Amino acid sequence: MKIRLLAGLLALGLAAVGCGGAKVDTSPSSSAAPAASGSSAATGTVKIAINPWVGYEASANVVAYLLKNELHYNVEMPEIKEQLAWEGFETGDVDVIIENWGHPDLKKKFIEEKKVAVEAGSTGNKGIIGWYVPKWMADKYPDITDYKNLNKYASLFKTSESSGKGQLLDGDPSYVTNDEALVKNLKLNYKVVTGGSEAALLKSATQAQEQQKALLFYFWTPHWLFDKVDLVRVNLPAWTDGCDADPKKVACDYPEMDLDKIVSKKFADTGGKAYELVKNFNWTNEDQNAVANDMTNNGLTGEQAAKKWIEANTAKWQAWLPK
């Protein structure tokens, strides 16, 4: 979901953002395990921040289900944008960010300098951001997938919001993106237009395929959309180490990232079995997509989708439980 460099902090609430109707279960378990005072986890409650994309929610709901039903903790799941979630480590409002997309700047600030957060290992998910067009466009215009040819096709992507240029559609304003810099530095005759949410991207991508509409848009894996809509990635200049170090000078593609978990230092020190479960949590892109698809397309709440996956994958999640 990016290394995602931070794009913006202003955003719509998660309910309007990117769940495609998915519901987050925030009700606490009635069987919270008492513990010594200290962090929120030490009083039997774990606070997992919910960032606004359904893949993140899928991971959070699976971990929350196990915390409540296997370890008997209360779980709070506040809806918080990415940067604000990191600030929650300092205020005590957040114990866990279950899916972090890079953020070296925030790691430096909150882990190295303020020392209020720590890394808690990989989620197992491999994350990649990119630019995509529907497959019908790549079939009709085979060279459109080379960024050097995008200007030739800019007129196809014009919209009422793109000021006479081609439109590059982005999602939630809080998502990490290099797109403004890429358009400028690659000298592309395009304007980045913010769709406002994951849901807006999903709707646009689906319509682009069904109605053969032109669309160039920012998207990411892991995501269930790739199982439903045929998309082709646009080739930007290859990513090399350090090519995106200066946000204003970025002129390269996004890297593949090993997505990781970040927790508060207090939670790592006093969270006990809850922290061990979070640290041990590790699954695949396919696992996440299955839960996210149930939440978005099959009418299940986050808790219901998590329960369905857990019942079908006992061996995987039992390996995460504290010994």
Side-chain angles (χ1 to χ4, degrees):
M1 170 85 31
K2 13 182 187 224
I3 291 176
R4 300 178 68 182
L5 299 172
L6 192 60
L9 300 180
L10 298 177
L12 303 173
L14 179 61
V17 174
C19 309
K23 301 174 182 64
V24 180
D25 173 48
T26 58
S27 59
S29 166
S30 61
S31 54
S37 60
S39 74
S40 58
T43 62
T45 299
V46 181
K47 300 176 183 178
I48 305 176
I50 298 296
N51 290 170
W53 59 92
V54 73
Y56 184 110
E57 290 183 69
S59 296
N61 273 281
V62 166
V63 171
Y65 189 93
L66 293 172
L67 284 169
K68 290 191 287 185
N69 293 284
E70 294 295 323
L71 301 184
H72 310 295
Y73 282 84
N74 289 334
V75 179
E76 295 179 7
M77 301 169 76
E79 299 170 357
I80 310 176
K81 304 296 185 179
E82 288 177 84
Q83 173 146 336
L84 294 178
W86 284 76
E87 294 175 4
F89 292 139
E90 192 168 22
T91 62
D93 294 326
V94 172
D95 292 320
V96 180
I97 291 175
I98 203 64
E99 180 179 286
N100 170 59
W101 285 73
H103 294 298
D105 54 335
L106 296 178
K107 285 186 175 182
K108 181 179 180 181
K109 179 177 180 180
F110 291 98
I111 295 178
E112 297 177 20
E113 296 174 359
K114 294 195 172 187
K115 302 185 186 304
V116 294
V118 298
E119 295 174 322
S122 172
T123 66
N125 296 130
K126 306 302 179 185
I128 304 176
I129 299 172
W131 293 359
Y132 292 89
V133 295
K135 187 176 183 296
W136 75 261
M137 294 197 76
D139 291 341
K140 187 173 182 178
Y141 312 105
D143 62 344
I144 202 171
T145 58
D146 184 338
Y147 83 95
K148 294 177 182 177
N149 299 317
L150 284 177
N151 283 343
K152 181 168 67 172
Y153 296 106
S155 61
L156 296 177
F157 298 102
K158 285 183 182 178
T159 70
S160 59
E161 299 178 75
S162 63
S163 304
K165 299 180 178 182
Q167 174 179 278
L168 170 59
L169 184 65
D170 274 19
D172 188 299
S174 73
Y175 288 174
V176 184
T177 170
N178 299 330
D179 288 354
E180 293 278 3
L182 284 168
V183 166
K184 178 181 178 181
N185 296 328
L186 296 178
K187 297 179 172 56
L188 299 178
N189 187 32
Y190 285 75
K191 179 181 178 181
V192 177
V193 175
T194 301
S197 67
E198 180 183 29
L201 294 177
L202 297 177
K203 181 179 179 180
S204 295
T206 303
Q207 288 181 343
Q209 173 174 272
E210 293 176 347
Q211 302 173 21
Q212 297 242 322
K213 288 184 175 181
L215 178 68
L216 174 66
F217 72 117
Y218 161 111
F219 211 66
W220 63 91
T221 59
H223 205 287
W224 59 262
L225 180 67
F226 292 92
D227 295 327
K228 306 287 185 180
V229 177
D230 289 329
L231 302 171
V232 179
R233 189 174 178 183
V234 173
N235 295 312
L236 299 174
W239 181 88
T240 57
D241 190 25
C243 71
D244 51 3
D246 186 338
K248 295 181 180 179
K249 297 181 179 179
V250 177
C252 60
D253 211 340
Y254 294 87
E256 176 177 323
M257 280 177 281
D258 184 14
L259 306 184
D260 61 350
K261 299 155 289 187
I262 309 296
V263 301
S264 73
K265 179 67 163 56
K266 189 177 290 186
F267 179 65
D269 290 342
T270 65
K273 291 183 177 181
Y275 168 65
E276 289 183 53
L277 173 63
V278 170
K279 187 174 181 180
N280 293 339
F281 168 68
N282 186 283
W283 65 351
T284 67
N285 285 14
E286 290 73 23
D287 290 326
Q288 185 185 91
N289 289 343
V291 178
N293 183 58
D294 278 338
M295 293 171 67
T296 308
N297 299 311
N298 296 331
L300 301 187
T301 65
E303 184 174 43
Q304 290 168 344
K307 181 181 180 182
K308 177 182 174 181
W309 184 90
I310 285 166
E311 290 176 345
N313 294 275
T314 304
K316 284 191 177 182
W317 62 262
Q318 283 187 340
W320 307 339
L321 295 180
K323 304 303 182 186

